[in-house]
Amino acid sequence: TDNGAASKKLRASLIDLIKTTELNGVVIDIKETDGVFLPESLKSFIQELHNDDIWVIARLVVFNDTVQAKAQPKMALKRSNGKLWLDRRGNGWLDPASIEAWDYIAGIGKKAIDYGFDEIQFDYLRFPSDGDTKNIVYHVYKSKTTPKYVVLKSFFEYISKALKEYKPDIILSA
């Protein structure tokens, strides 16, 4: 978020919409497949929303993460030739069983808490399903011994514990 005139006008119209309708919250994307978006100026906007009793939710895309997959290949899904595996949209993914990926997501969640978000909503909390999935090489996940739902359950238990220890009253959703 910037502090230019257009941005201020958009923010004001958003707050006005919420105050004049039955709406009571706003979802702000803080992490997409193309990276984390947590500029310092967002803190003051969150405070402004709180001043008007508006619930503020951080949307955090979990395992669909091209930027981190390229930056940290050991966390990434690959092909048998060692190249990054990409879905139909050309996005990279993190291995859902990677503890390093879990710690990375927990760190972003803690930063969102520090910014003042009331709730953290996890999206793309799943294994990839679009594209050439039969050619994914998982470096951590072991499909022969562990069902996918067990990995996802373990991730959510891990992230819940990490974030609830950091701030016990943080609301988590998926």
Side-chain angles (χ1 to χ4, degrees):
T1 57
D2 66 45
N3 291 314
S7 180
K8 286 180 182 178
K9 184 176 179 182
L10 179 62
R11 290 179 191 173
S13 67
L14 175 67
I15 291 170
D16 185 56
L17 175 69
I18 293 170
K19 288 166 92 174
T20 59
T21 65
E22 66 277 1
L23 301 175
N24 64 355
V26 64
V27 177
I28 299 173
D29 290 337
I30 64 162
K31 180 187 170 297
E32 281 283 349
T33 189
D34 60 353
V36 178
F37 180 74
L38 281 166
E40 207 51 39
S41 61
L42 187 55
K43 290 178 183 177
S44 60
F45 182 52
I46 292 169
Q47 185 56 55
E48 188 179 344
L49 292 166
H50 284 157
N51 291 345
D52 286 314
D53 294 320
I54 297 169
W55 188 258
V56 188
I57 303 164
R59 178 180 168 266
L60 195 161
V61 168
V62 180
F63 299 120
N64 183 347
D65 192 325
T66 304
V67 170
Q68 191 68 1
K70 287 179 178 176
Q72 296 292 325
K74 67 180 181 171
M75 289 186 212
L77 301 183
K78 306 255 180 54
R79 295 185 160 277
S80 59
N81 64 6
K83 291 187 178 180
L84 202 60
W85 180 87
L86 302 175
D87 65 16
R88 275 195 199 122
R89 293 182 179 165
N91 296 326
W93 285 70
L94 305 179
D95 188 327
S98 166
I99 297 296
E100 289 88 359
W102 296 6
D103 285 338
Y104 164 68
I105 297 301
I108 298 167
K110 289 175 182 177
K111 192 168 182 181
I113 289 169
D114 292 342
Y115 271 57
F117 284 95
D118 300 300
E119 180 178 338
I120 301 172
Q121 176 193 81
F122 296 96
D123 201 356
Y124 287 84
L125 179 58
R126 61 179 178 81
F127 282 73
S129 60
D130 304 328
D132 188 15
T133 57
K134 69 183 180 308
N135 287 314
I136 295 173
V137 174
Y138 293 92
H139 294 286
V140 181
Y141 173 61
K142 305 296 181 216
S143 63
K144 290 183 180 8
T145 58
T146 310
K148 289 179 179 178
Y149 74 86
V150 170
V151 171
L152 298 177
K153 179 180 181 283
S154 297
F155 167 77
F156 207 76
E157 288 170 348
Y158 182 91
I159 201 77
S160 180
K161 183 176 188 281
L163 297 182
K164 293 285 188 175
E165 284 176 356
Y166 193 73
K167 184 181 181 195
D169 62 342
I170 189 66
I171 303 297
L172 304 176
S173 59

